[in-house]
Amino acid sequence: MARTAPTGRKGRLLRRAVVLALACAAATAAAPPLPAADGTPAGPAAAPAAGGWRGWRTPPAVRNQELRAVAALGPDAAWAVGYEDSAAGGAPLVERFDGRSWRRLQVPGHRGTGSLEAVLPFGPSDVWAVGSRSDPAVGEDRGLALHWDGRGWREVPLPAGPADRSSHPLALAGAGPHDLWAVGATAHDRTTAPRPLVHHWDGRAWQTVPTPGTEGDALLLGAATDGAGGVWAVGAAYDPDGTARPLAEHWDGTAWRIVDVPRPEGRSTTLESVAAVAPDDVWAVGSTTTDDGPPHPYLLHWDGTAWRPAEPPAEAEGQLHAVAAGPDGTVWAAGEQPGADIPGFVLRRRDGAWTYHPAAPSAAGASFFSVAPVPGTGTAWAVGSTQPRLEDTWRPVIGSYTP
């Protein structure tokens, strides 16, 4: 994606997962006042259409905006988070769906660059979001955790890490309001020498939990609970030459351990997201590539004993960024095919088979970074961003798909 300013393979991955505009922290666009907590709708009142895509239009962006994650409680309650450019460099962005329209919510402000990367609701008045914000005094980023209590957002302090390392929580998973996990990475100078990061919320405070050591650099990008007290986290570890290999770690209630993952020979492979239908039915997604070739989707399935590769639909090309499981056992994945006129697509697995669903033609240029099934409906939300041709800004994208 041309919107980043990469510093090598690890730098590209971490920048995309944290804040796409970190290299542009001195943005000059003036930021208009934030709407109130129940501000103007982010799209027209409508209901998801049956039998295909429904695009939820947002007002034209006067500066860069992107949605990084989405989660839903039901047909009248969904949340999406991300970031937008501001005069200071960036600001967290939150939108809420009430069954009729998406509305922008006010969040605590921070000096410098800020972004939200994951959101997890336990109820209409119990929603968590995590990301990072800049610390201008030392030129690093600090982890950011926000909680919604039904009236507003407040920041909940995360454990303080080393002053000379950035902290980037990138994913959330939880069995309940008193058992919540945030995973991600720490890094020098925001993107170099990444190491896995894991925090746990016990209902009273966040605590850092140690993870197994890996040889060389590594980071965690996705997390999921398995319904039986276990937690999966996935990401990438790096060989000395910078080649990525897929990384999976499992919490068994006592400690984290690394679990072997198949690695395609001669390819750089990253896992970005994981979702569990049951302890013996877990899916992880990402992408695999050679130095001179395009990326290809990478699917893995855990059957309770081992991780095994799975074949995506033949039409699916590019990268898979997210996977999510619905209460009915349906599994959704979302991704993009870089360079395509319509990059964004979702995959749906039901009755043992995957199907491919490209974004609607109206979403030309759109990339999807997150997907969320809507309980009780069969519909799924997908969010990301798009950069219209001949325009300098990229805009948030929200779509709903109904089979």
Side-chain angles (χ1 to χ4, degrees):
M1 296 172 61
R3 302 192 288 261
T4 62
T7 56
R9 183 175 286 110
K10 292 187 291 295
R12 286 199 302 274
L13 184 58
L14 193 54
R15 283 176 185 271
R16 188 181 71 228
V18 185
V19 185
L20 293 178
L22 273 177
C24 304
T28 57
L34 289 173
D38 290 317
T40 57
W53 283 99
R54 164 64 62 86
W56 295 75
R57 293 182 300 167
T58 55
V62 297
R63 58 195 183 280
N64 297 325
Q65 297 179 347
E66 182 164 89
L67 294 173
R68 303 294 303 162
V70 64
L73 287 172
D76 59 354
W79 305 80
V81 302
Y83 82 97
E84 66 178 355
D85 282 354
S86 73
L93 176 65
V94 178
E95 296 185 8
R96 180 180 63 179
F97 183 71
D98 61 6
R100 299 185 304 274
S101 62
W102 285 90
R103 293 176 180 268
R104 172 85 173 273
L105 298 184
Q106 190 176 38
V107 295
H110 297 282
R111 292 188 304 159
T113 299
S115 173
L116 292 173
E117 299 290 328
V119 61
L120 180 60
F122 291 110
S125 301
D126 189 3
V127 184
W128 285 93
V130 295
S132 59
R133 58 178 177 83
S134 69
D135 184 349
V138 295
E140 299 287 354
D141 294 331
R142 303 303 173 209
L144 175 64
L146 300 178
H147 182 258
W148 169 263
D149 62 5
R151 298 180 300 274
W153 292 94
R154 68 179 179 91
E155 183 174 352
V156 181
L158 289 168
D164 62 346
R165 289 187 69 86
S166 288
S167 177
H168 300 298
L170 302 174
L172 282 169
H178 305 299
D179 186 11
L180 178 64
W181 295 87
V183 308
T186 67
H188 280 301
D189 299 326
R190 291 190 166 127
T191 63
T192 60
R195 303 297 301 164
L197 170 72
V198 175
H199 295 314
H200 181 254
W201 170 261
D202 61 6
R204 294 172 297 178
W206 287 99
Q207 297 179 336
T208 300
V209 180
T211 59
T214 59
E215 295 183 5
D217 300 339
L219 70 169
L220 298 172
L221 296 170
T225 55
D226 66 10
V231 185
W232 284 99
V234 299
Y238 296 89
D239 294 333
D241 64 358
T243 301
R245 61 184 186 275
L247 174 66
E249 299 191 7
H250 185 257
W251 170 264
D252 62 6
T254 303
W256 287 92
R257 66 182 179 92
I258 295 175
V259 180
D260 289 340
V261 177
R263 179 186 184 184
E265 191 67 28
R267 303 184 71 88
S268 188
T269 305
T270 298
L271 296 175
E272 294 196 37
S273 184
V274 61
V277 178
D280 58 355
D281 188 5
V282 184
W283 291 89
V285 304
S287 60
T288 182
T289 186
T290 59
D291 289 339
D292 56 356
H296 295 282
Y298 194 55
L299 275 167
L300 288 175
H301 182 253
W302 172 262
D303 61 7
T305 303
W307 286 101
R308 292 181 172 85
E311 287 295 326
E315 307 97 318
E317 292 292 340
Q319 301 161 292
L320 290 173
H321 296 308
V323 64
D328 63 352
T330 301
V331 181
W332 296 82
E336 62 173 325
Q337 183 179 352
D341 289 340
I342 305 175
F345 63 87
V346 297
L347 307 180
R348 178 175 179 263
R349 190 177 194 274
R350 188 172 177 83
D351 298 327
W354 287 97
T355 53
Y356 171 79
H357 308 280
S362 59
S367 297
F368 291 144
F369 300 123
S370 182
V371 64
V374 182
T377 68
T379 295
W381 290 106
V383 303
S385 68
T386 185
Q387 186 172 19
R389 292 180 179 178
L390 305 180
E391 294 189 20
D392 294 331
T393 59
W394 55 90
R395 304 173 180 177
V397 167
I398 302 175
S400 60
Y401 183 82
T402 303

